[in-house]
Amino acid sequence: LAARTRGSEGVTVVICSVEEFPPGSRRIVTTGGREIGVFRVDDAFYAVRNRCPHQGGPLCTGPIRHLIRANGPGEPEVDTGVPFVVCPWHGFHYNASTGEAYATGDPRVKSYPVSVEAGEILLADMDSRTPLVAETFPVYVEGRYVVLEA
Ligand code: FES
């Protein structure tokens, strides 16, 4: 099985096997010149662009939080629905599924569908029009050192 996301250009990015992506973890992938953060919360996956619509902060490096609601004084409850990605710069909250900003009226962040698919389906895609893209990084020789830019 693999978690994958479809970028805005219609490119499918195979991220890794589900076993390599445990609950509570995240990965930031680059495709088409854009960074996309992929999150696993319990058994659900979410993906949003790693650029906060407010002032361009690295949104996907911030915490993931659920809302806390209260029906009355002393009755707080954690909303276990879709979590929010919290920007580390100024704390704006974005719905991890829809990308909508919470309670600010600010523009939404671009969100992407993520699916978990069997390897056979991914192999079948290789024969379709949807290109599969592996995450790559530039590697070069600088002096006597091999440097990986990740
Ligand atoms: S840049 Fe993200 S809240 Fe300001």
Side-chain angles (χ1 to χ4, degrees):
L1 297 178
R4 69 177 183 168
T5 184
R6 191 174 301 275
S8 60
E9 308 80 22
V11 174
T12 298
V13 180
V14 178
I15 298 168
C16 65
S17 71
V18 170
E19 291 72 25
E20 296 171 311
F21 206 138
S25 64
R26 73 182 68 188
R27 296 198 179 212
I28 297 178
V29 300
T30 301
T31 178
R34 294 181 175 183
E35 290 185 345
I36 299 172
V38 185
F39 303 88
R40 180 173 181 182
V41 180
D42 298 323
D43 285 329
F45 289 88
Y46 305 95
V48 298
R49 188 170 178 202
N50 187 28
R51 187 175 192 286
C52 180
H54 179 226
Q55 290 183 359
L59 176 61
C60 298
T61 63
I64 299 289
R65 294 211 176 107
H66 287 279
L67 294 181
I68 296 177
R69 301 180 188 280
N71 293 324
E75 300 176 18
E77 289 183 9
V78 175
D79 182 338
T80 57
V82 173
F84 286 75
V85 184
V86 182
C87 181
W89 280 11
H90 309 104
F92 284 25
H93 288 48
Y94 296 91
N95 182 298
S97 178
T98 65
E100 292 174 293
Y102 178 75
T104 63
D106 277 78
R108 70 176 57 196
V109 67
K110 173 73 176 162
S111 62
Y112 304 86
V114 185
S115 60
V116 176
E117 299 187 11
E120 296 82 17
I121 293 173
L122 295 174
L123 285 174
D125 275 356
M126 294 176 80
D127 296 329
S128 72
R129 297 185 324 175
T130 304
L132 293 173
V133 178
E135 185 177 10
T136 61
F137 305 94
V139 178
Y140 56 91
V141 176
E142 182 178 280
R144 295 179 54 88
Y145 300 91
V146 177
V147 179
L148 167 67
E149 289 187 358

